[in-house]
Amino acid sequence: MINLNFHSPEEEIHHPLFLEKNIRVYLKRDDLIHPFISGNKWRKLKYLLINAEEAGKKHLVTFGGIWSNHLLATACAAAKFGFKSTGIVRGEDISTDVLTFCRLFGMNLIFVDRESYRDKQTIFNKYFDTDESALFINEGGAGKEAAKGCAELIEELQQQYQHIFAACGTGTTAAGIINGLNQKPSTLFHAIPVLNGSFLKDDIKKLLRNPVNFEFHTDYTFGGYAKTKPNLIEFIADFASSAGILLDPVYTGKMMYAVFDLARKDHFKPGSNILAIHTGGLFGLLGMKEKFGKQLLQIK
Ligand SMILES: *Cc1c(COP(=O)(O)O)cnc(C)c1O
């Protein structure tokens, strides 16, 4: 039996800005769910794994880049719940901390060039056409089943929030949370895309059970996927040293930066409760440790 039930805590973040604006900000600590099956990746894998087991699939095949939180989560979850795993990795065989952990968890890695990587089904068929036990899991776990797991986050909440924030890569987590809110008019969802492109808003909409309005903030991509700027790094360092909580520069750093920026711009009514989802993924920090370290030295 696969059991991926876990309630992560909601923790209030104290900051002079929030006092001044008379708002309360909480962080849902999904980063505490598991060190490797971290944050939203745990929620996204839940029904994929349960369905895989029911369908008699024994081999998880999935896709990602050399720093993919999803590859790492899948590798660890496969080991934990008795599956074989294969990771199809975009680009050349460069050893990273994430890929080293994937290998440790027993994941078999296949490297494919960027061009072929685009057509995931063709690659899957090429290697696993005759393997009945192999299950295709899309990059990032994206899709309906993953959104279903993310929707459950809402049932766990201990109090009412007027605003909920999450970072978006594929938008699956965002869509799941919006579905979980179940058209509750008192809560507005805010999507913080971490990459440029308006397709993401449509990708979220495609996964919604009902059409619901949400805010889609395009000002916090910091130049694109996995791109950073000195003010983002400075923010992550300030937050770490004042709250004792690490954020990663790819997802949660940008999301939390948005919460602070919008608070500063009086986007929230006084008296509002705001929840930001810490979707985990701290290995993203290791992926940038050199660049990050150098910039930190310049800032401090
Ligand atoms: C993968 C990831 C996301 C993006 O989730 P989507 O469902 O693809 O939008 C957000 N935050 C972290 C830390 C992640 O690892």
Side-chain angles (χ1 to χ4, degrees):
M1 256 305 275
I2 292 176
N3 183 351
L4 282 117
N5 296 328
F6 188 100
H7 282 208
S8 69
E10 283 142 68
E11 183 176 335
E12 184 165 4
I13 304 300
H14 298 281
H15 193 277
L17 174 68
F18 304 152
L19 262 182
E20 180 200 324
K21 300 291 182 186
N22 187 24
I23 56 176
R24 299 184 80 168
V25 176
Y26 297 78
L27 201 50
K28 183 149 172 72
R29 299 291 309 275
D30 273 10
D31 56 315
L32 300 179
I33 293 178
H34 192 280
F36 304 108
I37 315 169
S38 157
N40 63 341
K41 300 305 183 281
W42 173 282
R43 297 186 187 277
K44 290 174 83 171
L45 282 169
K46 178 175 176 180
Y47 289 101
L48 285 164
L49 296 189
I50 290 173
N51 294 351
E53 190 182 49
E54 277 175 14
K57 302 286 186 185
K58 301 258 184 301
H59 181 185
L60 311 179
V61 178
T62 195
F63 303 82
I66 56 176
W67 287 102
S68 164
N69 295 321
H70 165 71
L71 275 186
L72 176 56
T74 307
C76 180
K80 192 174 167 70
F81 297 112
F83 296 92
K84 248 176 84 174
S85 68
T86 296
I88 304 201
V89 188
R90 182 185 59 227
E92 282 168 36
D93 184 354
I94 300 168
S95 197
T96 64
D97 298 324
V98 163
L99 293 183
T100 299
F101 280 114
C102 286
R103 286 191 167 105
L104 259 177
F105 288 123
M107 183 175 252
N108 177 39
L109 300 178
I110 298 173
F111 292 84
V112 301
D113 64 79
R114 280 158 193 276
E115 190 54 40
S116 332
Y117 185 83
R118 288 208 187 105
D119 189 357
K120 303 192 175 51
Q121 194 64 53
T122 301
I123 306 171
F124 178 84
N125 295 347
K126 176 176 164 194
Y127 289 100
F128 303 106
D129 212 14
T130 56
D131 182 354
E132 290 275 305
S133 72
L135 177 74
F136 176 99
I137 299 178
N138 210 344
E139 182 173 39
K144 261 199 187 132
E145 281 161 316
K148 183 178 169 193
C150 295
E152 292 177 349
L153 181 157
I154 297 300
E155 297 158 22
E156 297 171 15
L157 300 182
Q158 305 290 315
Q159 57 172 323
Q160 287 277 343
Y161 295 97
Q162 284 74 48
H163 303 275
I164 298 185
F165 280 77
C168 304
T170 66
T172 300
T173 303
I177 293 172
I178 296 171
N179 287 338
L181 283 167
N182 211 2
Q183 301 172 288
K184 212 187 270 167
S186 54
T187 307
L188 179 62
F189 180 78
H190 299 258
I192 307 299
V194 301
L195 43 94
N196 299 320
S198 52
F199 61 90
L200 194 51
K201 193 171 183 184
D202 294 325
D203 288 352
I204 296 175
K205 285 185 185 162
K206 275 182 219 148
L207 288 169
L208 295 185
R209 279 201 310 261
N210 299 294
V212 175
N213 281 332
F214 59 94
E215 288 195 15
F216 188 79
H217 300 274
T218 53
D219 292 343
Y220 305 102
T221 63
F222 291 87
Y225 186 74
K227 298 267 184 357
T228 63
K229 300 232 162 95
N231 58 342
L232 177 64
I233 291 180
E234 187 171 12
F235 169 76
I236 290 172
D238 283 346
F239 190 81
S241 62
S242 69
I245 298 172
L246 289 179
L247 303 169
D248 77 284
V250 183
Y251 295 102
T252 54
K254 294 180 182 180
M255 185 276 304
M256 210 56 201
Y257 186 101
V259 173
F260 274 77
D261 191 55
L262 291 167
R264 221 171 275 121
K265 293 173 175 161
D266 294 312
H267 199 74
F268 312 112
K269 269 202 204 120
S272 299
N273 276 351
I274 295 150
L275 181 71
I277 314 295
H278 195 314
T279 39
L282 292 171
F283 279 85
L285 261 175
L286 292 179
M288 289 186 203
K289 61 182 181 254
E290 266 129 46
K291 188 173 144 206
F292 207 96
K294 267 188 212 136
Q295 291 202 2
L296 260 185
L297 281 176
Q298 281 164 13
I299 291 162
K300 296 283 155 181

